[in-house]
Amino acid sequence: MASFDHSSLQVRVDRVDRVYRPGDVIAGTVVARVRKGWRHQGVGLRALGAVEAAHHLPPRPFMNVASVLAPPGHFSDGEHALRFEMELRPCEGSELLESYHGSASITYTLICTCRRGPLRPALEARCEIFVEVPSPRPPPQPAPTTFAVAREKGLRVSGKVDTRRCSLDRPFTGELRVDECAERIRSIDIALMRRETVSGVLGRAAEVRRTQIVDGDVARGIDIPIHVFFPRLFACPSLAIDGLSVAFEVDVVVSFGEGLVARESIPVVLYR
């Protein structure tokens, strides 16, 4: 008799990080844990890639690959391993998009199902994988851009970023300097912001990640390096498709006491 309490399915992929790129083969194993053996009407696996632009709208699939792992038959008591291999490819006329989680989302899910007849509930298991889509064009040449955070009451923070066209695989770099500040600085942060437009409706800017680069009242006139990384999943290549666009900016945020802040926004274009 099997040592587990109930029958179940589990989808396991061979790659520990579950990260794939277009043209890769998704290989893995579906483990069927069977208690008190039973007949079934087949085991199927589907790789589904879809855009979920809004909760009230149905997902829009752009990848839908199906495979039969086991024909109708009988599973005896115990564990059964079913190997699978599926190519990562889009539906005809579509293209693969990079995985992304925000108010909208772009997800890739492996869905395994097993129907067991009218007297037993069907079994289902899901496993999310993550897809990176490199840009088909060569990377742009870096073009440094200067910026300044200034207020009338004696504040000026100046600096530069090495490029506004940023690779997700590399850090966002540059430098800044506090030229003048009459008040005591509490911190300086670099905030990655995103703005989604869903079905023509522009959303509010949302903070994705904030990295503190200065703690306390820094000395004036000293160059301070900027070196921050882009997060996986919550940032993606800048996107504009039917019904959804995602744009990004980097904010330099200077914080003082009592919640007072000064900030400057730098629009950026992200690519893989």
Side-chain angles (χ1 to χ4, degrees), residues 30 34 43 102 185 192 197-198 203:
V30 168
V34 177
V43 180
I185 294 173
L192 176 66
T197 302
V198 178

Side-chain angles (χ1 to χ4, degrees), residues 4-16:
F4 31 86
D5 297 330
H6 60 277
S7 298
S8 65
L9 299 175
Q10 184 180 29
V11 182
R12 303 172 181 170
V13 294
D14 293 345
R15 294 188 183 180
V16 175

Side-chain angles (χ1 to χ4, degrees), residues 75 94 162 178:
F75 281 141
S94 298
D162 293 332
V178 179

Side-chain angles (χ1 to χ4, degrees), residues 123-193:
L123 299 179
E124 182 179 288
R126 293 174 177 244
C127 174
E128 184 177 6
I129 62 172
F130 310 109
V131 174
E132 296 178 346
V133 181
S135 170
R137 296 179 294 275
Q141 292 297 317
T145 300
T146 59
F147 65 87
V149 185
R151 291 199 314 186
E152 293 180 358
K153 296 182 180 180
L155 168 68
R156 180 174 176 80
V157 176
S158 60
K160 69 171 184 177
V161 297
D162 293 332
T163 182
R164 292 196 301 114
R165 297 184 63 86
C166 308
S167 169
L168 288 163
D169 299 317
R170 298 176 183 172
F172 179 78
T173 58
E175 62 183 30
L176 60 79
R177 180 178 63 252
V178 179
D179 298 312
E180 178 187 1
C181 186
E183 301 180 49
R184 181 177 178 84
I185 294 173
R186 189 180 66 183
S187 67
I188 301 178
D189 300 83
I190 303 298
L192 176 66
M193 311 293 291

Side-chain angles (χ1 to χ4, degrees), residues 190-193 206-211 228-232:
I190 303 298
L192 176 66
M193 311 293 291
E207 186 173 298
V208 178
R209 171 180 286 181
R210 178 178 288 225
T211 304
V228 298
F229 291 90
F230 295 103
R232 175 175 287 176

Side-chain angles (χ1 to χ4, degrees), residues 1-243:
M1 180 72 66
S3 59
F4 31 86
D5 297 330
H6 60 277
S7 298
S8 65
L9 299 175
Q10 184 180 29
V11 182
R12 303 172 181 170
V13 294
D14 293 345
R15 294 188 183 180
V16 175
D17 60 5
R18 293 182 286 159
V19 176
Y20 298 85
R21 292 196 168 196
D24 284 354
V25 173
I26 308 164
T29 304
V30 168
V31 178
R33 291 185 172 183
V34 177
R35 179 174 172 80
K36 297 181 180 179
W38 33 259
R39 298 194 64 79
H40 62 87
Q41 298 177 33
V43 180
L45 182 67
R46 184 176 301 275
L48 181 65
V51 176
E52 297 183 28
H55 296 298
H56 64 281
L57 298 175
R60 300 204 323 264
F62 54 83
M63 172 182 170
N64 195 344
V65 181
S67 177
V68 175
L69 304 187
H74 179 270
F75 281 141
S76 59
D77 189 71
E79 285 195 356
H80 301 264
L82 308 172
R83 289 289 298 172
F84 66 84
E85 289 188 355
M86 309 177 80
E87 183 182 356
L88 186 64
R89 67 177 189 273
C91 301
E92 186 175 353
S94 298
E95 60 181 14
L96 297 179
L97 303 172
E98 179 137 345
S99 296
Y100 169 70
H101 287 186
S103 300
S105 62
I106 300 170
T107 58
Y108 293 80
T109 310
L110 303 180
I111 307 170
C112 183
T113 56
C114 176
R115 291 185 298 163
R116 299 188 293 168
L119 301 181
R120 294 178 182 267
L123 299 179
E124 182 179 288
R126 293 174 177 244
C127 174
E128 184 177 6
I129 62 172
F130 310 109
V131 174
E132 296 178 346
V133 181
S135 170
R137 296 179 294 275
Q141 292 297 317
T145 300
T146 59
F147 65 87
V149 185
R151 291 199 314 186
E152 293 180 358
K153 296 182 180 180
L155 168 68
R156 180 174 176 80
V157 176
S158 60
K160 69 171 184 177
V161 297
D162 293 332
T163 182
R164 292 196 301 114
R165 297 184 63 86
C166 308
S167 169
L168 288 163
D169 299 317
R170 298 176 183 172
F172 179 78
T173 58
E175 62 183 30
L176 60 79
R177 180 178 63 252
V178 179
D179 298 312
E180 178 187 1
C181 186
E183 301 180 49
R184 181 177 178 84
I185 294 173
R186 189 180 66 183
S187 67
I188 301 178
D189 300 83
I190 303 298
L192 176 66
M193 311 293 291
R194 71 174 174 229
R195 192 183 296 272
E196 299 173 341
T197 302
V198 178
S199 300
V201 179
L202 179 62
R204 297 173 57 186
E207 186 173 298
V208 178
R209 171 180 286 181
R210 178 178 288 225
T211 304
Q212 186 180 55
I213 61 172
V214 169
D215 183 19
D217 197 27
V218 66
R220 291 11 176 193
I222 295 178
D223 290 335
I224 301 166
I226 299 172
H227 192 97
V228 298
F229 291 90
F230 295 103
R232 175 175 287 176
L233 287 183
F234 300 104
C236 68
S238 299
L239 178 66
I241 59 175
D242 183 33

